[in-house]
Amino acid sequence: MRRIAAARLRYCGLEAMTDDVMLIITELLTNALQHSGTTEISLIMTVADGALRVRVRDGMPTPAAPRRPGPTAESGRGLLLVDAVAKENGGTWGTSEAGAETWCCLPLPPQGQP
């Protein structure tokens, strides 16, 4: 999924966003795989109205929520990373009201700037 998403970013001329978007995609997909228990997960990326929106749907009605893992925990930081990257880029993230979709929205870089 990461390779397909990176290729799509290149196609749209958004290479400058690749590192941050790859981290977001990795964490949202991993969260869905580990916690939803479903067999169908979808990744949707759209560019509209000056923003890139990444959505991961797992169909489960439980909203994703960041945890506060202990200092030696080996997992549990994914949504904290998504939150930090979104805020650093002036974006937002959240879950649908039904909880079946987790999303992140990042503003596009100004034209001509990396």
Side-chain angles (χ1 to χ4, degrees):
M1 294 301 286
R2 288 170 44 95
R3 281 187 292 220
I4 293 168
R8 190 67 177 162
L9 289 171
R10 280 191 304 276
Y11 177 79
C12 293
L14 299 174
E15 295 92 345
M17 300 180 78
T18 300
D19 290 342
D20 290 336
V21 173
M22 291 303 101
L23 176 63
I24 289 167
I25 286 171
T26 298
E27 296 306 333
L28 294 183
L29 286 172
T30 299
N31 196 61
L33 284 167
Q34 289 184 340
H35 301 291
S36 71
T38 187
T39 57
E40 273 190 51
I41 296 170
S42 63
L43 168 67
I44 302 126
M45 289 178 28
T46 55
V47 175
D49 302 322
L52 171 71
R53 188 172 180 112
V54 175
R55 297 178 292 156
V56 173
R57 290 184 184 161
D58 61 23
M60 301 303 291
T62 307
R67 297 187 296 182
R68 298 287 176 203
T72 59
E74 294 183 10
S75 65
R77 294 172 183 83
L79 293 177
L80 295 173
L81 287 169
V82 171
D83 182 59
V85 170
K87 285 179 181 173
E88 180 179 302
N89 288 285
T92 58
W93 78 277
T95 59
S96 64
E97 286 184 32
E101 178 178 284
T102 305
W103 55 268
C104 186
C105 186
L106 300 174
L108 299 177
Q111 289 288 5
Q113 290 187 355

